[in-house]
């Protein structure tokens, strides 16, 4: 079930929900002597629900939080929720943990107590990272930021060298990871072509394809271009 490279998952702090201690870094939940291991996607769903415990997450919101892609078979999400309920010994007809809210989505019913820190930022919130092009600056958001030629992507680059969905830049707190999405002409960081996901650092130069499309990755905490009039794109 795990599609994403597990090494790139930046887990949230442990938290308590009901009788269970949830440890995202280990993909485990504990209650007394009982320890249960969750598939990574199941843990991702639990963390997403915990971030907004008591609120309803739509299926689209939960899908985006777990898979970071716009379209996933509803059966996959239903399967993840079913596994989560089994882990908690929850009853779909009388749920104590994961509630289905008809036509709306899912809700984690018990209150959540975070241990040793705050939860990771929710996907969709603005981050402290920027991508600068020749004529504008984009503020990246938490979660996946798609770079490409399509008008609907997060960072739109109008160039024949850029694929419609060229690369993904995923932000999780103070981490930002760039991955090529099978583009025709490749993605390069500081001159080296990507062969897998790469964590970015302030000042890294990103080149798309064989042309001269260059982006510069930077932290909003040290960048000054937006303060002097550079544009930013709202998430």
């Amino acid at each position: 079930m795990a599609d994403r490279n597990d090494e790139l998952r930046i887990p949230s702090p442990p938290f308590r929900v009901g009788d269970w201690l949830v440890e995202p870094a280990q993909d485990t939940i504990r209650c007394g002597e009982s320890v249960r291991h969750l598939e990574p996607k199941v843990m991702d769903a639990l963390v997403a629900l915990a971030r907004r415990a008591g609120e309803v997450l739509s299926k689209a919101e939960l899908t985006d939080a777990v898979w970071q892609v716009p379209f996933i078979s509803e059966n996959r999400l239903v399967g993840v929720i079913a596994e989560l309920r089994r882990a908690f010994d929850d009853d779909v007809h009388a749920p104590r943990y994961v509630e289905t809210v008809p036509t709306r989505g899912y809700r984690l019913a018990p209150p959540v107590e975070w241990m040793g820190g705050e939860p990771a930022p929710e996907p969709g919130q603005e981050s402290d990272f920027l991508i600068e092009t020749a004529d504008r600056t984009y503020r990246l958001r938490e979660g996946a930021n798609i770079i490409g030629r399509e008008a609907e992507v997060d960072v739109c680059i109008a160039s024949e060298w850029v694929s419609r969905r060229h690369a993904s830049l995923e932000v999780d707190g103070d981490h930002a990871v760039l991955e090529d999405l099978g583009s025709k002409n490749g993605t390069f960081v500081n001159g080296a072509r990507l062969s897998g996901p790469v964590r970015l650092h302030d000042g890294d130069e990103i080149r798309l394809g064989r042309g001269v499309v260059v982006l510069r990755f930077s932290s909003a905490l040290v960048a000054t271009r937006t303060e002097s009039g550079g544009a930013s794109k709202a998430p």
Side-chain angles (χ1 to χ4, degrees):
M1 182 176 296
D3 305 320
R4 188 172 49 177
N5 187 333
D6 290 346
E7 294 181 359
L8 301 180
R9 297 172 67 233
I10 311 299
S12 296
F15 57 92
R16 291 190 178 277
V17 56
D19 298 327
W20 294 86
L21 172 64
V22 181
E23 298 173 299
Q26 283 76 45
D27 287 324
T28 60
I29 61 174
R30 299 173 182 270
C31 182
E33 298 296 319
S34 178
V35 179
R36 298 178 183 178
H37 293 269
L38 305 184
E39 291 290 331
K41 289 290 186 251
V42 178
M43 179 58 74
D44 287 348
L46 175 55
V47 170
L49 289 165
R51 286 178 177 138
R52 289 169 56 184
E55 300 179 28
V56 178
L57 263 70
S58 70
K59 293 178 181 179
E61 289 175 310
L62 199 50
T63 295
D64 184 66
V66 175
W67 285 278
Q68 292 87 46
V69 295
F71 303 109
I72 284 290
S73 166
E74 186 172 330
N75 288 338
R76 295 186 68 185
L77 178 59
V78 170
V80 162
I81 294 298
E83 287 190 41
L84 184 56
R85 285 184 170 132
R86 282 195 291 271
F88 282 129
D89 295 324
D90 213 8
D91 185 345
V92 66
H93 302 294
R96 295 179 299 115
Y97 286 89
V98 183
E99 298 179 354
T100 299
V101 181
T103 74
R104 295 183 60 196
Y106 300 98
R107 173 171 56 205
L108 189 64
V112 170
E113 178 187 358
W114 296 94
M115 316 290 289
E118 296 298 321
E122 182 181 348
Q125 294 179 348
E126 284 191 345
S127 76
D128 290 327
F129 296 123
L130 306 173
I131 280 287
E132 302 172 68
T133 69
D135 56 2
R136 71 174 297 178
T137 299
Y138 294 84
R139 182 182 290 273
L140 301 175
R141 60 183 176 86
E142 291 289 332
N145 297 264
I146 304 300
I147 305 170
R149 200 172 71 242
E150 285 185 347
E152 295 79 9
V153 299
D154 302 288
V155 180
C156 183
I157 307 295
S159 169
E160 63 179 321
W161 297 106
V162 177
S163 299
R164 294 182 182 278
R165 294 171 66 85
H166 194 105
S168 174
L169 209 171
E170 182 156 344
V171 175
D172 195 332
D174 60 356
H175 294 73
V177 175
L178 181 67
E179 183 172 9
D180 187 82
L181 295 178
S183 67
K184 178 180 179 180
N185 296 312
T187 302
F188 301 77
V189 174
N190 299 327
R193 183 165 184 162
L194 298 191
S195 58
V198 170
R199 182 177 174 182
L200 296 179
H201 300 88
D202 191 72
D204 280 348
E205 182 181 274
I206 303 166
R207 181 161 59 87
L208 305 178
R210 294 175 292 171
V212 292
V213 179
V214 174
L215 312 177
R216 186 168 298 279
F217 173 81
S218 62
S219 167
L221 300 178
V222 298
T224 59
R225 286 184 59 174
T226 51
E227 298 176 357
S228 61
S232 66
K233 184 178 180 180

